[in-house]
Amino acid sequence: MTDLLHILPNFSTADYSHLIPSLEKHLITCTDLLTLEATDIAKRAQLPVLDVRKLVGDILAQLQGQLGLGSGNGATTSQPDIQAVEKLGALRKSGNDLLREWSTISTLDDDLDAALGGGIPTGYITEITGESGAGKTQFLLTLLLSAQLPPPHGLSRPSLYISTEHPLPTTRLTQLLYSHPLLSSTIPTPSLSHILTLQTPDLESQDHILHYQLPVALARHRPALLVIDSIAANYRAETSSLTTTPSTHPAALAQRSADLVRLGQLLRSLARQHDCAIVVANQVGDRFAPAALSPSQTPRHPALSSSPVPGWSHSSPSPLPHSLPARPAQSLSAAVAPAPTSTPAPAPHPSVLTLDHQQRFFTGWGDTPPSYTHDPDHSLKTPSLGLVWANQIACRIALVKEAAYLRHGDPASGASLANQMTTLDQESAIAETSAKGAASGAGPVLNALRAENTGVGIERAEWAPRTWRRWMRVVFAPWVEGVRPGEGGVEFEVWGGGVRAVRWTDG
């Protein structure tokens, strides 16, 4: 019952002052009261059954009142009958009301919006995850400006940007305003002055800002979009020092899980209350798939692996032990028979109930092979903060980045790929260079483009990395169908005006 006043702040506990201490002593929460039988709760807390039922009825009436199903005055409800059902009110918002009030923020690209079900919806938490350079920041910056556009692309309201790592890249935002035709031609034009910024350098300040300053800012400025970039940076920095000690490792992970649950509950409440879209960026880590046992790791014959004879060596060219006395040749061949060769056992297939098997359905990696890489397991990633945080969000968008290669000995396909991607890669390289500077790693991309345009260097390498290709994949969302197993998603590129889908042409 320690969470009763947190769930129902206006609940009157005067009539139940004799019950609450015993319920708190036995760690009975509101969830237990609503899901367990009253007799089981009374036996566990050693309380009268009728009093427990009355308390459960009042809590249920309060919750129904918040949803618009009843008066919500805390009166005890009797057994349901026809008259009681007729007196109950309707929901605050019906299904038709929700459809009429459905509002989204566009990515300024028709193909990307179609894959997202119209764009980024308000009232939900949407996560954009991917490795470094996949385009997360480009997506977020585009949304910060498109939220200021009038419908149907935006909501004509400002945006709020909370940074945990780097300050807001205003230079890149200015380039987006002048490069994208929709942003530069719309009146009134979106402005950087309509983007509010907050900085959270550590986890303590992040909790204070999200719990106290953020609700005030949302009520005062009414932003259409809240961006947190990134959600995992401070948690990874704070918990990395605690998890190094084996004695504090379980406690640190349990505390972080509880903090993530409270954070998800807070953000969902703010998104519904202020009708704003909350988009968080998340980092990823490498994931290594279970590998099969190699022939060198397979167990040998039992007689050879556990032989007590001294001087026996498995790596010696002859299986003859050095301590055996000399014998005739015919007896030696009969005494020492060649060991039967055992075939390598196949790697055990993971059970469908294990995390290794199921995480492909909610991480965004593992259910489709890469298109260009040789090793499919090399590109497996896992979003940070684990399964606990995945249960707090409504939608996960994975940005997958893979290297595109030119194969030696296949000039037709290589030339076709070069002709189709040259202009796109040049614009992407220019956009990345202007956003991150000359030391961002775009130099090799530009050098590869120059070599390709001059016809030098393509035929020399058997497999030469040329540039990066990116895909947007909707992992899960309640309003749109996610990417099916085996599909790569919508391919997109980064250009001077933000992000846009790649439309391949023959030639």
Side-chain angles (χ1 to χ4, degrees):
M1 295 298 294
T2 55
D3 60 344
L4 176 61
L5 295 181
H6 179 74
I7 298 176
L8 298 173
N10 299 324
F11 186 83
S12 177
T13 59
D15 297 337
Y16 307 102
S17 58
H18 62 291
L19 302 179
I20 293 179
S22 180
L23 294 175
E24 291 181 348
K25 178 180 179 182
H26 294 84
L27 303 178
I28 297 176
T29 63
C30 289
T31 304
D32 297 333
L33 291 175
L34 297 176
T35 56
L36 301 179
E37 294 290 340
T39 54
D40 297 336
I41 297 175
K43 184 183 299 184
R44 177 179 171 184
Q46 298 179 357
L47 294 174
V49 179
L50 296 179
D51 292 347
V52 173
R53 289 179 177 174
K54 183 180 178 182
L55 173 61
V56 173
D58 286 353
I59 294 176
L60 184 60
Q62 285 274 351
L63 294 175
Q64 291 176 346
Q66 288 186 354
L67 295 175
L69 292 173
S71 59
N73 54 5
T76 305
T77 58
S78 59
Q79 295 294 331
D81 52 14
I82 299 178
Q83 296 180 354
V85 173
E86 292 178 352
K87 293 181 180 179
L88 292 178
L91 284 171
R92 287 182 176 181
K93 294 182 181 179
S94 63
N96 294 329
D97 294 337
L98 292 176
L99 290 177
R100 285 193 297 265
E101 297 177 3
W102 180 263
S103 55
T104 58
I105 300 175
S106 174
T107 61
L108 305 183
D109 185 87
D110 295 337
D111 293 344
L112 297 178
D113 287 343
L116 295 172
I120 304 298
T122 59
Y124 298 92
I125 304 177
T126 303
E127 180 195 85
I128 299 179
T129 182
E131 57 185 312
S132 177
K136 299 188 300 295
T137 302
Q138 307 303 323
F139 261 89
L140 298 178
L141 297 182
T142 304
L143 294 174
L144 289 175
L145 296 175
S146 63
Q148 306 176 29
L149 296 173
H153 298 93
L155 301 177
S156 300
R157 290 157 55 185
S159 304
L160 178 58
Y161 182 82
I162 299 179
S163 175
T164 61
E165 296 179 287
H166 306 290
L168 182 67
T170 56
T171 304
R172 175 59 175 154
L173 284 172
T174 304
Q175 184 188 18
L176 292 177
L177 286 173
Y178 287 102
S179 301
H180 201 285
L182 186 59
L183 295 175
S184 59
S185 61
T186 303
I187 299 177
T189 304
S191 173
L192 271 67
S193 60
H194 293 162
I195 301 177
L196 311 175
T197 59
L198 292 173
Q199 187 77 20
T200 58
D202 51 52
L203 189 58
E204 182 178 0
S205 62
Q206 174 179 317
D207 291 340
H208 182 271
I209 289 175
L210 295 181
H211 284 83
Y212 298 100
Q213 298 184 18
L214 180 59
V216 176
L218 293 177
R220 180 178 301 176
H221 301 283
R222 297 187 64 251
L225 174 67
L226 167 63
V227 172
I228 303 178
D229 186 14
S230 67
I231 194 66
N234 289 330
Y235 283 100
R236 297 177 69 177
E238 293 289 339
T239 57
S240 60
S241 59
L242 297 177
T243 55
T244 54
T245 305
S247 59
T248 60
H249 183 240
L253 292 180
Q255 180 63 36
R256 191 183 75 168
S257 300
D259 294 340
L260 291 176
V261 172
R262 286 193 293 267
L263 176 61
Q265 181 180 0
L266 172 65
L267 294 180
R268 290 194 302 270
S269 176
L270 294 176
R272 292 191 300 264
Q273 180 180 356
H274 300 279
D275 190 28
C276 66
I278 297 182
V279 181
V280 299
N282 196 3
Q283 303 166 349
V284 297
D286 292 326
R287 170 157 53 98
F288 301 95
L293 292 177
S294 61
S296 60
Q297 296 174 331
T298 56
R300 295 177 177 268
H301 193 268
L304 300 179
S305 58
S306 59
S307 175
V309 180
W312 190 278
S313 176
H314 294 298
S315 59
S316 58
S318 174
L320 181 63
H322 301 287
S323 59
L324 290 178
R327 294 182 182 179
Q330 61 275 13
S331 60
L332 285 177
S333 60
V336 183
T341 58
S342 58
T343 58
H349 187 72
S351 174
V352 295
L353 300 179
T354 60
L355 181 62
D356 290 335
H357 177 78
Q358 295 192 2
Q359 63 183 345
R360 70 185 68 182
F361 303 118
F362 61 87
T363 60
W365 283 266
D367 58 347
T368 177
S371 302
Y372 291 94
T373 54
H374 294 288
D375 186 7
D377 297 334
H378 179 71
S379 60
L380 292 180
K381 305 293 180 182
T382 299
S384 300
L385 304 182
L387 183 60
V388 175
W389 173 249
N391 292 327
Q392 309 304 316
I393 59 179
C395 173
R396 167 167 286 171
I397 302 171
L399 304 183
V400 181
K401 182 181 72 170
E402 295 180 4
Y405 291 89
L406 294 179
R407 185 191 297 272
H408 178 68
D410 191 5
S413 61
S416 177
L417 180 62
N419 294 332
Q420 295 173 358
M421 294 292 291
T422 299
T423 304
L424 306 181
D425 291 337
Q426 287 176 346
E427 293 178 352
S428 300
I430 293 173
E432 293 180 0
T433 304
S434 60
K436 301 181 180 179
S440 62
V445 177
L446 294 177
N447 294 333
L449 291 175
R450 296 190 186 98
E452 176 185 315
N453 294 332
T454 56
V456 177
I458 297 181
E459 297 83 359
R460 296 180 181 178
E462 182 177 357
W463 277 96
R466 179 182 174 274
T467 183
W468 293 101
R469 298 180 65 183
R470 300 173 176 89
W471 285 266
M472 185 196 74
R473 311 185 69 224
V474 180
V475 183
F476 58 83
W479 55 83
V480 68
E481 183 181 4
V483 177
R484 298 179 180 179
E487 296 181 356
V490 180
E491 185 174 359
F492 72 96
E493 59 168 343
V494 180
W495 65 295
V499 292
R500 63 185 179 188
V502 174
R503 299 170 180 86
W504 292 95
T505 57
D506 297 333

